[in-house]
Amino acid sequence: MISILRRGLLVILTALPLMANAVAAPSAHELVQDTTNRLLADLSANKEKYKQDPQDFYTALDTIVGPVVDAEGISKSIMTVKYSRKATPEQMQKFVENFKKGLFQFYGNALLEYDNQGIVVDPAKDESGDRTSVGMTVKGSSGAIYPVSYTLEKINGEWKLRNVIINGINIGKLFRDQFADAMQRNGNDLDKTINGWAGEVAKAKETTEKSTENQTQ
């Protein structure tokens, strides 16, 4: 009897860390809110330093935002099945790395211009499934309000960012279209397209900036 109790106690003690992790996993809304708060706090404390050396900010973004982004899933989506199936593991990993660098530069450059005008995360939505969205409104320096919508997917019990829609522009679709266009321009040279991804991100930034300018006019 004592032996059975000991084994039962051992099973319970072993399961406790797993139970704690399940309870501690944040909701999608909490994840976006917490990440936003941490990011803005870090930016406020180090903004002048980041303006002098933006690379430090990109590194900070990787530390704060990187863990909540499904970079591999988004990268495969951008490549689409047509190209991701042709990519070697090395090419896929290279694109994941370049995607993350481009993403943090995309957001980082915009955030360095942010001057505490106002960011509000919308109330939580239904999160009973494996996919949900979290809305946000960003107030620009001119007073215009820009809607942002994050699409999140539950992966291994944790919410991860899968897409962003900024001011009506679907960034995932924009990147997919640009990848396909780059492949055509590069003669279906996957390595050339992967290595030149930074230039495609710069084009995406120009597109979103033009959209923002048109809204304020």
Side-chain angles (χ1 to χ4, degrees):
M1 183 65 178
I2 293 176
S3 176
I4 294 174
L5 288 174
R6 284 176 177 171
R7 286 199 297 271
L9 180 60
L10 180 60
V11 170
I12 292 173
L13 291 175
T14 303
L16 278 176
L18 299 177
M19 295 169 63
N21 286 339
V23 172
S27 68
H29 182 269
E30 290 169 340
L31 186 67
V32 171
Q33 183 72 72
D34 178 63
T35 303
T36 300
N37 291 344
R38 291 170 56 210
L39 178 60
L40 293 181
D42 180 78
L43 180 60
S44 177
N46 301 289
K47 189 170 185 177
E48 293 306 314
K49 182 182 74 170
Y50 290 155
K51 282 187 174 181
Q52 296 297 320
D53 188 357
Q55 188 58 51
D56 276 355
F57 188 34
Y58 304 151
T59 301
L61 282 171
D62 191 12
T63 300
I64 298 171
V65 181
V68 308
V69 176
D70 179 19
E72 183 175 350
I74 298 174
S75 297
K76 288 181 178 179
S77 174
I78 291 172
M79 272 192 176
T80 69
V81 174
K82 179 179 180 180
Y83 299 115
S84 63
R85 284 182 175 175
K86 297 177 181 179
T88 65
E90 292 75 17
Q91 287 175 320
M92 198 70 237
Q93 181 58 38
K94 180 66 174 179
F95 185 64
V96 170
E97 293 172 359
N98 286 352
F99 162 73
K100 289 179 69 176
K101 290 178 183 178
L103 180 69
F104 297 142
Q105 289 178 8
F106 181 89
Y107 283 110
N109 293 336
L111 284 169
L112 286 175
E113 301 301 321
Y114 177 73
D115 195 26
N116 298 320
Q117 296 98 333
I119 291 181
V120 178
V121 178
D122 297 346
K125 295 182 179 179
D126 179 25
E127 299 185 14
S128 58
D130 292 330
R131 195 175 181 89
T132 189
S133 64
V134 177
M136 175 188 290
T137 53
V138 180
K139 187 176 182 180
S141 57
S142 65
I145 301 297
Y146 306 109
V148 179
S149 178
Y150 296 97
T151 300
L152 297 98
E153 191 168 305
K154 190 172 285 185
I155 302 174
N156 297 325
E158 295 184 347
W159 291 104
K160 298 289 184 179
L161 179 68
R162 284 302 304 266
N163 193 25
V164 185
I165 299 175
I166 303 175
N167 200 33
I169 298 176
N170 186 316
I171 301 302
K173 183 179 184 304
L174 177 62
F175 282 169
R176 280 194 299 275
D177 291 344
Q178 289 187 195
F179 189 92
D181 180 63
M183 285 294 288
Q184 288 187 339
R185 285 187 279 107
N186 294 329
N188 285 323
D189 188 326
L190 194 55
D191 284 324
K192 188 173 182 179
T193 300
I194 290 172
N195 293 329
W197 186 244
E200 301 305 318
V201 173
K203 292 178 183 178
K205 184 173 182 293
E206 290 177 3
T207 299
T208 55
E209 287 177 344
K210 287 179 181 178
S211 174
T212 299
E213 289 173 0
N214 290 336
Q215 181 170 324
T216 58
Q217 291 176 354

